[in-house]
Amino acid sequence: MRRRLIGGALAGALLLAGCGTADDSSSGGSTGGTTAVKLQLQWFVQAQFAGYIAAVDKGFYSEQGLDVQILEGGVDIVPQTVLAQGQADFAVSWVPKALASREQGAEITEIAQVFQRSGTYQVSFKDSNISSPADLRGKKVGNWGFGNEFELFAGMTKAGLDPGKDVTLVQQQFDMQALLRRDIDAAQAMSYNEYAQLLEAKNPATGKLYQPSDFTVLDWNTVGTAMLQDAVWANSAKLSSDKAYQETAVKFLTGSLKGWAYCRDNAAECRDMVVKKGSKLGASHQLWQMNEVNKLVWPSPGGVGLLNETAWKATVDLALTTKNQDGQTVITKQPSGTAYTNEYVQKAIDSLKSSGTDVTGSTFKPETVTLNEGGA
């Protein structure tokens, strides 16, 4: 999932369900007895968003009386901005990025926390001897920037490093070539995407694919500086005053979370749905991604999509205290207003439980996935 935070608009976004091209306003209306809804993703089509795609393809949104159009993201699209500007009804975005947008005036509220865990790694070759954030001192450290680096900076801060002085920060491209060429010592990677790209690359010394044993992974969940990632955001003003929108939010979450439960239990089928939607990543790569994304969603002890308030507080605290290379923090004050609510997702969870859907995934076990060269 690339989550690049730069200026942009909805122009050029693709509709992955329904017909036509993106227009300048959110649907939000009823047609033919159904309510039209637009969901803005934060990156291109991949298994990171499989639950929403499955909800369309399997008719879970239709069951709720919704006609959902999924708007594909890209390098110049900021999901929470698209939402705040009224060009989508709901959006998927990382929590710290959305909090920064809220502080800048975006009237948005988190209504579901789909990813319960962070998927961000910092990866290095094992012979670089980087086994902890403290070992990054004096190294060339790659990151995508644009709000994706917060956990990295938090990890370095916790280790007593100053991101502006103690490391050489390198703007990393959206692949792993800089690390593979040894241009940088450590690279940012998502567990479900770029890390797999390393394992799909051939080791020139052996002629075979690289193995996990060739690398060292810093996992921010283990380090203790993980921040909440993929969440569903809604329009704050409409949530507070529009009963129809409130009802749509519950229906949308019910369909979405049923889609995530389906992908938990049918990973290969959901992989196929994603590939069919036009993903540029190969089938084995998408199955890896589906499996790794499931690890971030499941198990969900409180129910899928329910926001854990302790994790929220930890993310906010890190956003308030972690400084970048220029000494700036993600946010400067506690989030004001209704930054999140579990009201609507709890109703969705209750509805799914009553219909027999497993909403916790307490017995979930990830599959073993074999990667092929280039992700084919």
Side-chain angles (χ1 to χ4, degrees):
M1 137 166 131
R2 218 67 87 274
R3 302 117 307 254
R4 191 170 180 177
L5 201 66
I6 62 178
L10 188 56
L14 301 177
L15 297 184
L16 305 183
C19 302
T21 56
D23 60 23
D24 292 330
S25 62
S26 170
S27 314
S30 296
T31 56
T34 63
T35 300
V37 170
K38 289 181 181 178
L39 169 67
Q40 177 64 60
L41 303 182
Q42 56 188 349
W43 195 240
F44 299 115
V45 181
Q46 55 183 14
Q48 176 190 357
F49 311 113
Y52 311 108
I53 293 170
V56 171
D57 284 8
K58 301 303 292 186
F60 301 149
Y61 289 134
S62 297
E63 292 173 358
Q64 298 297 317
L66 304 180
D67 176 16
V68 175
Q69 293 180 323
I70 299 178
L71 307 175
E72 188 171 40
V75 295
D76 61 347
I77 293 172
V78 182
Q80 62 271 24
T81 300
V82 173
L83 171 64
Q85 291 176 346
Q87 297 171 326
D89 300 289
F90 304 102
V92 178
S93 182
W94 282 12
V95 171
K97 294 182 181 183
L99 289 179
S101 293
R102 288 186 88 259
E103 190 166 286
Q104 294 163 11
E107 295 185 0
I108 56 175
T109 296
E110 179 181 343
I111 59 171
Q113 183 62 52
V114 177
F115 283 16
Q116 299 292 304
R117 288 156 283 280
S118 168
T120 311
Y121 290 163
Q122 201 72 18
V123 187
S124 58
F125 278 101
K126 188 170 289 292
D127 59 17
S128 294
N129 298 314
I130 300 173
S131 58
S132 72
D135 297 327
L136 293 171
R137 185 185 296 273
K139 303 292 187 180
K140 292 181 179 179
V141 180
N143 68 91
W144 298 310
F146 304 107
N148 300 293
E149 72 279 13
F150 299 147
E151 292 165 301
L152 166 64
F153 287 175
M156 288 193 288
T157 299
K158 184 177 181 180
L161 303 184
D162 182 338
K165 298 178 180 179
D166 295 326
V167 303
T168 299
L169 295 173
V170 179
Q171 180 74 45
Q172 184 181 324
Q173 297 300 309
F174 294 117
D175 56 38
M176 301 304 284
Q177 292 305 308
L179 181 66
L180 290 169
R181 293 192 305 263
R182 304 273 185 156
D183 293 339
I184 58 178
D185 299 300
Q188 186 170 16
M190 300 310 297
S191 63
Y192 49 80
N193 192 354
E194 290 78 16
Y195 180 61
Q197 292 178 26
L198 291 176
L199 305 180
E200 293 162 349
K202 188 175 291 186
N203 184 343
T206 65
K208 299 180 180 180
L209 296 184
Y210 281 110
Q211 299 299 307
S213 57
D214 293 318
F215 303 99
T216 300
V217 172
L218 297 182
D219 182 340
W220 304 123
N221 296 290
T222 303
V223 172
T225 58
M227 303 174 83
L228 291 170
Q229 298 186 342
D230 289 35
V232 178
W233 296 81
N235 182 294
S236 302
K238 293 175 71 175
L239 273 184
S240 66
S241 61
D242 188 337
K243 184 176 181 180
Y245 183 74
Q246 296 168 3
E247 293 173 349
T248 296
V250 174
K251 293 175 181 179
F252 174 75
L253 292 178
T254 301
S256 299
L257 300 181
K258 188 173 181 179
W260 282 112
Y262 190 86
C263 289
R264 175 195 65 211
D265 301 333
N266 302 275
E269 183 182 350
C270 285
R271 178 272 314 271
D272 293 341
M273 293 180 200
V274 172
V275 171
K276 187 177 179 181
K277 290 297 180 186
S279 171
K280 297 177 178 60
L281 301 173
S284 75
H285 187 100
Q286 287 294 2
L287 187 58
W288 170 283
Q289 185 166 136
M290 186 72 259
N291 194 54
E292 293 300 314
V293 166
N294 272 331
K295 292 179 185 179
L296 304 182
V297 179
W298 309 100
S300 294
V304 60
L306 194 74
L307 174 64
N308 180 293
E309 294 186 3
T310 299
W312 171 273
K313 183 179 184 302
T315 295
V316 170
D317 288 347
L318 286 169
L320 283 166
T321 58
T322 296
K323 294 182 179 180
N324 65 12
Q325 68 271 33
D326 300 318
Q328 303 297 311
T329 57
V330 181
I331 56 177
T332 62
K333 56 187 177 183
Q334 285 287 335
S336 60
T338 305
Y340 77 88
T341 175
N342 275 324
E343 177 183 355
Y344 305 100
V345 73
Q346 187 62 64
K347 291 179 179 178
I349 291 169
D350 292 343
S351 176
L352 290 170
K353 285 174 64 177
S354 67
S355 64
T357 300
D358 175 6
V359 297
T360 64
S362 59
T363 61
F364 165 72
K365 293 183 179 180
E367 298 181 8
T368 300
V369 179
T370 300
L371 289 168
N372 301 319
E373 184 175 357

